[in-house]
Amino acid sequence: MTKTFLAGALLSASIFGLAAPAFADTELKVYISSQHQPQVWRKVMDQYEAANPGTKVTIETGGNTSEAQAQYLNTIMSAKDSSLDVLILDVIRPAQFAAAGWTSPFEGKDMSVYLPAYAEANTVDGKVVALPAFADSMFLYYRKDLLEKYGVEPPKTWDELKAAVKKINGGENNQDLQGLSFQGKAIEGAVCTFLLPYWSQGKNLTDNGKLTFDKQAAVNSLKLWKSFVDEGVSKKNIAEVATDDTRKEFQAGNVVFAVNWSYAWAQSQSKDSAVAGKVGVARLPAMTGGEQATCLGGWEWGVSAYSKNQDGAKKLVEYLSSKDASKFMAVNGSLLPTHSELYKDADVLKAAPWFADAKQVVETAKPRPVTPRYNEVSETIRTTVNAVLAGVTTPEDGAAQIEARLKRILR
Amino acid sequence: MTTSTLTKTDRTDRQPPAWTKMLDLSDRALAVLLLAPAAILLSLIIVYPVMRLIYTSFFSLSLTSGLPAEFVGIENYQLMIEDPVFWETTWNTVLITLITVPGALFVGLGLALLANIPFRRQWPVRLSLLIPWALPLSFAGLIFAWFFHSEYGVVNDVLSRFGIEGVIWFNSPNLAFAAICLTIVWKTSSFMALIILAGLQTIPRSLYEAADVDGAGRIRQFFEITLPLLKPAIVVALIFRTITALQTFDIPYMMTGGGPGTSTATLAMYIHQNTVSFLDLGYGSALAVVMFALSMCVTAVYLRIIRTKE
């Protein structure tokens, strides 16, 4: 494809007598969702432009949730639109984009420089379909001050968390103080909500694309979340709570424990935060008798298969996923690095000291099922979690519905 | 025919250029020629997409499979019959139509009668009628999602001031459904009111004056004069409202996203989900064909009503 393009370009150049330098002017358009600090990425693009004279990079922003972003890109890509060269993709999407033929593979790319989880997430059928932008996973945020006041250690199991909340709530006697905030709205985050206790029981959802659904583990997971609502640990309208609601409630000082991604850290330490300096970050608790598990997040850079400047776009993506760019984003945007050695880097640790412990968490984080039909898997799980938390469906019926629908999707 | 012979004799004197001969068309041919641009445009933007949609609905075409389109006959339609979510979303759509169309008609009629009262200043009334209509659907959905929010919403706040404990609207399928229907009625009754108001203003005052002389009361006047003369306007308003009700998407999409579970999802949302999110174009097309057929049936029924009335 590239060869025919080059040949065509050379042919037209010789026909029209264009001078060679005209080709040096490369214009690239990068799509970044507005939730991912495009203003900080802009500085990385500026550095790239400075190092590569003749290249101009513009940023298009849009879609402030993973779903909104996916819908936008689905529309653009199914129309074979060539206006975007480089795309930022949620870690769950490379498989779908590869199956649809929407991203160009990076041939012969050495993925061992990245954390293993991201080398794996970006490799589909032996082909590297995208390169990592930044790492992420879910953590347990807690109020250090309140836990110290009541002599409670960060909980290792969900049952310990319940007991801790009861102890703290009993002492504080504050109606507005919620024990645990998590995502119950039918959004992508609710998929992780379901999977955290499910994985913690040592079960996996898929194995090599085949469904390995454990119904009892699913029932236990849904029951656990419902019990938080029924026992008053989480508030009754948890089915309305999205990721950023959790962040806001915690930041306003109304929550003892919160399940959230790493991005919540920077804002919880900002000037307008009620909890600055009072926040601890720990691994997520386990089911009693199970192992601690968390959900792998992070975003990737893909090159659009319809980009008219494949080589230029790939070169830019190589830079955006390089160690330098990763370090810059860790220091300036508090995004977790995808390069292992950066977790020990002095500059990075100065900006976000807890990154020192985060590497182990990211390394043990589990990926959501890798399948081209992920959107259907996600829809099935998140609407069921939402229905169970709203009290519309029982955990048993919910697990049965998930099983029946996943069986049809992951045949 | 006579006209054309006349023009011919006129022209022989002036020796018209040869090409005008070609334009010397019969009435029928002229009609075809004049209608052609509109017909071509309509075929391109309406007939072709609809045909293409029906064609695609007979194929298995999913962009996530990486496989080329394969002809599967009516398999997509068979899948649909077995799909509980299809029936649930279709039922929700029909229910929304059955509730919000009459709801918007009654509220709209009331608003139109109110706006027709000769106030000293007409514009504040007319403006407040126009605002809900001019507001984009998704904005209305977002605004009402906040109104009905269990913690920050104004609805629960007002309820609590009257000593009634607030409810979590979006936690219950019935309450969420009620909230959506209320929002749709609020949003669409102003459109009804505008059309009915236009109809009201065509009714001559002399009819009411004559009725006054004959001793007919206000209520009698309404049922004997106002309502019968408003019928054409009401039917037009109903056609438009019913079709947009069958296509309900924006308001439930913004308010509940179909939740809790899929209990407030509409057929249009399910089509959107299958095509834009799941990229299953074959199945999505089959669903869209069903919605198209539904809309056509409703239109046919209304057109029938208009025709028999005339």
mmCIF file of all heavy atoms in Angstrom, chain A residues 266-299:
data_model
loop_
_atom_site.group_PDB
_atom_site.id
_atom_site.type_symbol
_atom_site.label_atom_id
_atom_site.label_comp_id
_atom_site.label_asym_id
_atom_site.label_seq_id
_atom_site.Cartn_x
_atom_site.Cartn_y
_atom_site.Cartn_z
ATOM 1 N N ALA A 266 -4.363 13.356 40.923
ATOM 2 C CA ALA A 266 -3.895 14.726 40.704
ATOM 3 C C ALA A 266 -4.941 15.728 41.191
ATOM 4 O O ALA A 266 -4.612 16.697 41.874
ATOM 5 C CB ALA A 266 -3.583 14.946 39.226
ATOM 6 N N GLN A 267 -6.227 15.457 40.874
ATOM 7 C CA GLN A 267 -7.257 16.416 41.263
ATOM 8 C C GLN A 267 -7.544 16.387 42.768
ATOM 9 O O GLN A 267 -7.905 17.395 43.343
ATOM 10 C CB GLN A 267 -8.529 16.169 40.457
ATOM 11 C CG GLN A 267 -8.428 16.828 39.092
ATOM 12 C CD GLN A 267 -9.274 16.133 38.064
ATOM 13 O OE1 GLN A 267 -9.134 14.945 37.826
ATOM 14 N NE2 GLN A 267 -10.172 16.866 37.441
ATOM 15 N N SER A 268 -7.356 15.209 43.397
ATOM 16 C CA SER A 268 -7.609 15.148 44.839
ATOM 17 C C SER A 268 -6.550 15.932 45.615
ATOM 18 O O SER A 268 -6.744 16.273 46.775
ATOM 19 C CB SER A 268 -7.644 13.688 45.321
ATOM 20 O OG SER A 268 -6.329 13.186 45.422
ATOM 21 N N GLN A 269 -5.412 16.222 44.966
ATOM 22 C CA GLN A 269 -4.354 16.988 45.622
ATOM 23 C C GLN A 269 -4.380 18.458 45.219
ATOM 24 O O GLN A 269 -3.511 19.228 45.613
ATOM 25 C CB GLN A 269 -2.983 16.391 45.269
ATOM 26 C CG GLN A 269 -2.814 14.955 45.697
ATOM 27 C CD GLN A 269 -3.061 14.760 47.173
ATOM 28 O OE1 GLN A 269 -2.563 15.505 48.011
ATOM 29 N NE2 GLN A 269 -3.879 13.773 47.523
ATOM 30 N N SER A 270 -5.362 18.857 44.412
ATOM 31 C CA SER A 270 -5.385 20.240 43.920
ATOM 32 C C SER A 270 -5.873 21.185 45.012
ATOM 33 O O SER A 270 -6.343 20.752 46.060
ATOM 34 C CB SER A 270 -6.294 20.331 42.693
ATOM 35 O OG SER A 270 -7.630 20.072 43.080
ATOM 36 N N LYS A 271 -5.775 22.486 44.739
ATOM 37 C CA LYS A 271 -6.096 23.495 45.755
ATOM 38 C C LYS A 271 -7.560 23.456 46.191
ATOM 39 O O LYS A 271 -7.868 23.660 47.351
ATOM 40 C CB LYS A 271 -5.763 24.893 45.203
ATOM 41 C CG LYS A 271 -4.285 25.223 45.276
ATOM 42 C CD LYS A 271 -4.069 26.731 45.126
ATOM 43 C CE LYS A 271 -2.632 27.039 44.767
ATOM 44 N NZ LYS A 271 -2.413 27.060 43.302
ATOM 45 N N ASP A 272 -8.470 23.211 45.237
ATOM 46 C CA ASP A 272 -9.894 23.252 45.600
ATOM 47 C C ASP A 272 -10.406 21.910 46.137
ATOM 48 O O ASP A 272 -11.607 21.701 46.251
ATOM 49 C CB ASP A 272 -10.741 23.719 44.405
ATOM 50 C CG ASP A 272 -10.545 22.839 43.182
ATOM 51 O OD1 ASP A 272 -9.599 22.019 43.214
ATOM 52 O OD2 ASP A 272 -11.317 22.956 42.221
ATOM 53 N N SER A 273 -9.486 21.014 46.454
ATOM 54 C CA SER A 273 -9.906 19.723 46.981
ATOM 55 C C SER A 273 -10.026 19.793 48.509
ATOM 56 O O SER A 273 -9.154 20.334 49.182
ATOM 57 C CB SER A 273 -8.880 18.654 46.599
ATOM 58 O OG SER A 273 -9.065 17.508 47.386
ATOM 59 N N ALA A 274 -11.118 19.219 49.040
ATOM 60 C CA ALA A 274 -11.334 19.232 50.492
ATOM 61 C C ALA A 274 -10.467 18.188 51.179
ATOM 62 O O ALA A 274 -10.379 18.167 52.401
ATOM 63 C CB ALA A 274 -12.807 18.976 50.791
ATOM 64 N N VAL A 275 -9.839 17.308 50.415
ATOM 65 C CA VAL A 275 -9.116 16.190 51.020
ATOM 66 C C VAL A 275 -7.621 16.197 50.677
ATOM 67 O O VAL A 275 -6.935 15.196 50.881
ATOM 68 C CB VAL A 275 -9.738 14.835 50.611
ATOM 69 C CG1 VAL A 275 -11.125 14.696 51.187
ATOM 70 C CG2 VAL A 275 -9.782 14.680 49.103
ATOM 71 N N ALA A 276 -7.101 17.339 50.169
ATOM 72 C CA ALA A 276 -5.685 17.398 49.797
ATOM 73 C C ALA A 276 -4.824 17.025 51.003
ATOM 74 O O ALA A 276 -5.055 17.505 52.109
ATOM 75 C CB ALA A 276 -5.331 18.794 49.296
ATOM 76 N N GLY A 277 -3.870 16.107 50.776
ATOM 77 C CA GLY A 277 -2.985 15.698 51.866
ATOM 78 C C GLY A 277 -3.591 14.662 52.797
ATOM 79 O O GLY A 277 -2.946 14.210 53.737
ATOM 80 N N LYS A 278 -4.869 14.295 52.568
ATOM 81 C CA LYS A 278 -5.514 13.317 53.445
ATOM 82 C C LYS A 278 -5.849 12.036 52.695
ATOM 83 O O LYS A 278 -6.685 11.252 53.137
ATOM 84 C CB LYS A 278 -6.825 13.888 54.001
ATOM 85 C CG LYS A 278 -6.691 15.166 54.785
ATOM 86 C CD LYS A 278 -8.088 15.639 55.188
ATOM 87 C CE LYS A 278 -8.063 17.025 55.782
ATOM 88 N NZ LYS A 278 -9.423 17.587 55.855
ATOM 89 N N VAL A 279 -5.222 11.865 51.523
ATOM 90 C CA VAL A 279 -5.617 10.751 50.672
ATOM 91 C C VAL A 279 -4.560 9.671 50.644
ATOM 92 O O VAL A 279 -3.368 9.959 50.519
ATOM 93 C CB VAL A 279 -5.873 11.247 49.222
ATOM 94 C CG1 VAL A 279 -6.332 10.087 48.339
ATOM 95 C CG2 VAL A 279 -6.896 12.351 49.225
ATOM 96 N N GLY A 280 -4.992 8.422 50.807
ATOM 97 C CA GLY A 280 -4.104 7.285 50.627
ATOM 98 C C GLY A 280 -4.568 6.486 49.423
ATOM 99 O O GLY A 280 -5.755 6.492 49.085
ATOM 100 N N VAL A 281 -3.634 5.812 48.758
ATOM 101 C CA VAL A 281 -3.980 4.963 47.629
ATOM 102 C C VAL A 281 -3.455 3.559 47.921
ATOM 103 O O VAL A 281 -2.298 3.404 48.309
ATOM 104 C CB VAL A 281 -3.375 5.485 46.307
ATOM 105 C CG1 VAL A 281 -3.794 4.609 45.145
ATOM 106 C CG2 VAL A 281 -3.798 6.921 46.056
ATOM 107 N N ALA A 282 -4.312 2.557 47.781
ATOM 108 C CA ALA A 282 -3.895 1.188 48.072
ATOM 109 C C ALA A 282 -4.406 0.255 46.982
ATOM 110 O O ALA A 282 -5.185 0.668 46.118
ATOM 111 C CB ALA A 282 -4.450 0.746 49.427
ATOM 112 N N ARG A 283 -3.981 -1.007 47.066
ATOM 113 C CA ARG A 283 -4.526 -1.996 46.147
ATOM 114 C C ARG A 283 -5.982 -2.256 46.507
ATOM 115 O O ARG A 283 -6.376 -2.144 47.667
ATOM 116 C CB ARG A 283 -3.744 -3.302 46.267
ATOM 117 C CG ARG A 283 -2.313 -3.171 45.828
ATOM 118 C CD ARG A 283 -1.662 -4.532 45.799
ATOM 119 N NE ARG A 283 -2.224 -5.335 44.701
ATOM 120 C CZ ARG A 283 -1.803 -6.570 44.426
ATOM 121 N NH1 ARG A 283 -0.879 -7.139 45.170
ATOM 122 N NH2 ARG A 283 -2.315 -7.228 43.416
ATOM 123 N N LEU A 284 -6.759 -2.657 45.519
ATOM 124 C CA LEU A 284 -8.161 -2.945 45.776
ATOM 125 C C LEU A 284 -8.296 -4.193 46.641
ATOM 126 O O LEU A 284 -7.491 -5.123 46.519
ATOM 127 C CB LEU A 284 -8.903 -3.159 44.458
ATOM 128 C CG LEU A 284 -9.246 -1.870 43.709
ATOM 129 C CD1 LEU A 284 -9.674 -2.187 42.296
ATOM 130 C CD2 LEU A 284 -10.341 -1.109 44.430
ATOM 131 N N PRO A 285 -9.281 -4.239 47.539
ATOM 132 C CA PRO A 285 -9.464 -5.402 48.403
ATOM 133 C C PRO A 285 -9.843 -6.656 47.600
ATOM 134 O O PRO A 285 -10.217 -6.577 46.437
ATOM 135 C CB PRO A 285 -10.625 -4.996 49.313
ATOM 136 C CG PRO A 285 -10.741 -3.534 49.198
ATOM 137 C CD PRO A 285 -10.255 -3.181 47.829
ATOM 138 N N ALA A 286 -9.737 -7.803 48.281
ATOM 139 C CA ALA A 286 -10.076 -9.091 47.669
ATOM 140 C C ALA A 286 -11.357 -9.617 48.292
ATOM 141 O O ALA A 286 -11.809 -9.125 49.318
ATOM 142 C CB ALA A 286 -8.952 -10.080 47.897
ATOM 143 N N MET A 287 -11.951 -10.639 47.651
ATOM 144 C CA MET A 287 -13.017 -11.394 48.307
ATOM 145 C C MET A 287 -12.344 -12.176 49.430
ATOM 146 O O MET A 287 -11.185 -12.582 49.289
ATOM 147 C CB MET A 287 -13.658 -12.379 47.329
ATOM 148 C CG MET A 287 -14.389 -11.742 46.185
ATOM 149 S SD MET A 287 -15.897 -10.902 46.659
ATOM 150 C CE MET A 287 -17.095 -12.213 46.442
ATOM 151 N N THR A 288 -13.048 -12.427 50.538
ATOM 152 C CA THR A 288 -12.439 -13.169 51.631
ATOM 153 C C THR A 288 -11.987 -14.536 51.113
ATOM 154 O O THR A 288 -12.779 -15.257 50.495
ATOM 155 C CB THR A 288 -13.451 -13.330 52.779
ATOM 156 O OG1 THR A 288 -13.921 -12.022 53.108
ATOM 157 C CG2 THR A 288 -12.815 -13.964 53.990
ATOM 158 N N GLY A 289 -10.691 -14.831 51.330
ATOM 159 C CA GLY A 289 -10.139 -16.079 50.835
ATOM 160 C C GLY A 289 -9.657 -16.011 49.394
ATOM 161 O O GLY A 289 -9.106 -16.978 48.873
ATOM 162 N N GLY A 290 -9.840 -14.871 48.745
ATOM 163 C CA GLY A 290 -9.418 -14.726 47.347
ATOM 164 C C GLY A 290 -8.165 -13.872 47.237
ATOM 165 O O GLY A 290 -7.552 -13.521 48.235
ATOM 166 N N GLU A 291 -7.800 -13.557 45.986
ATOM 167 C CA GLU A 291 -6.610 -12.734 45.765
ATOM 168 C C GLU A 291 -7.049 -11.325 45.368
ATOM 169 O O GLU A 291 -8.151 -11.131 44.853
ATOM 170 C CB GLU A 291 -5.761 -13.363 44.661
ATOM 171 C CG GLU A 291 -6.543 -13.540 43.374
ATOM 172 C CD GLU A 291 -5.924 -14.571 42.425
ATOM 173 O OE1 GLU A 291 -4.955 -14.206 41.778
ATOM 174 O OE2 GLU A 291 -6.419 -15.705 42.367
ATOM 175 N N GLN A 292 -6.145 -10.362 45.607
ATOM 176 C CA GLN A 292 -6.472 -8.990 45.236
ATOM 177 C C GLN A 292 -6.370 -8.856 43.718
ATOM 178 O O GLN A 292 -5.398 -9.303 43.120
ATOM 179 C CB GLN A 292 -5.510 -8.021 45.927
ATOM 180 C CG GLN A 292 -5.816 -7.880 47.424
ATOM 181 C CD GLN A 292 -4.826 -6.986 48.118
ATOM 182 O OE1 GLN A 292 -3.640 -7.288 48.138
ATOM 183 N NE2 GLN A 292 -5.306 -5.903 48.699
ATOM 184 N N ALA A 293 -7.391 -8.256 43.111
ATOM 185 C CA ALA A 293 -7.377 -8.132 41.644
ATOM 186 C C ALA A 293 -7.793 -6.731 41.258
ATOM 187 O O ALA A 293 -8.589 -6.096 41.945
ATOM 188 C CB ALA A 293 -8.342 -9.143 41.026
ATOM 189 N N THR A 294 -7.246 -6.245 40.165
ATOM 190 C CA THR A 294 -7.687 -4.952 39.654
ATOM 191 C C THR A 294 -7.817 -4.993 38.136
ATOM 192 O O THR A 294 -7.374 -5.935 37.486
ATOM 193 C CB THR A 294 -6.753 -3.814 40.095
ATOM 194 O OG1 THR A 294 -7.316 -2.574 39.664
ATOM 195 C CG2 THR A 294 -5.367 -3.965 39.508
ATOM 196 N N CYS A 295 -8.460 -3.963 37.624
ATOM 197 C CA CYS A 295 -8.795 -3.894 36.211
ATOM 198 C C CYS A 295 -7.716 -3.097 35.480
ATOM 199 O O CYS A 295 -7.344 -2.012 35.918
ATOM 200 C CB CYS A 295 -10.141 -3.177 36.097
ATOM 201 S SG CYS A 295 -11.099 -3.578 34.662
ATOM 202 N N LEU A 296 -7.231 -3.634 34.378
ATOM 203 C CA LEU A 296 -6.211 -2.943 33.592
ATOM 204 C C LEU A 296 -6.870 -1.862 32.740
ATOM 205 O O LEU A 296 -7.836 -2.114 32.037
ATOM 206 C CB LEU A 296 -5.472 -3.932 32.685
ATOM 207 C CG LEU A 296 -4.314 -3.349 31.887
ATOM 208 C CD1 LEU A 296 -3.099 -3.150 32.776
ATOM 209 C CD2 LEU A 296 -3.956 -4.232 30.711
ATOM 210 N N GLY A 297 -6.309 -0.652 32.848
ATOM 211 C CA GLY A 297 -6.812 0.441 32.010
ATOM 212 C C GLY A 297 -5.726 0.886 31.058
ATOM 213 O O GLY A 297 -4.887 0.089 30.656
ATOM 214 N N GLY A 298 -5.712 2.182 30.758
ATOM 215 C CA GLY A 298 -4.695 2.718 29.874
ATOM 216 C C GLY A 298 -5.215 2.940 28.473
ATOM 217 O O GLY A 298 -6.264 2.421 28.099
ATOM 218 N N TRP A 299 -4.473 3.749 27.712
ATOM 219 C CA TRP A 299 -4.897 4.100 26.353
ATOM 220 C C TRP A 299 -3.744 3.895 25.394
ATOM 221 O O TRP A 299 -2.577 3.910 25.789
ATOM 222 C CB TRP A 299 -5.419 5.543 26.329
ATOM 223 C CG TRP A 299 -6.756 5.645 27.008
ATOM 224 C CD1 TRP A 299 -7.006 5.465 28.340
ATOM 225 C CD2 TRP A 299 -8.023 5.908 26.401
ATOM 226 N NE1 TRP A 299 -8.347 5.599 28.594
ATOM 227 C CE2 TRP A 299 -8.998 5.881 27.428
ATOM 228 C CE3 TRP A 299 -8.443 6.171 25.091
ATOM 229 C CZ2 TRP A 299 -10.353 6.101 27.175
ATOM 230 C CZ3 TRP A 299 -9.784 6.404 24.855
ATOM 231 C CH2 TRP A 299 -10.730 6.361 25.888
#
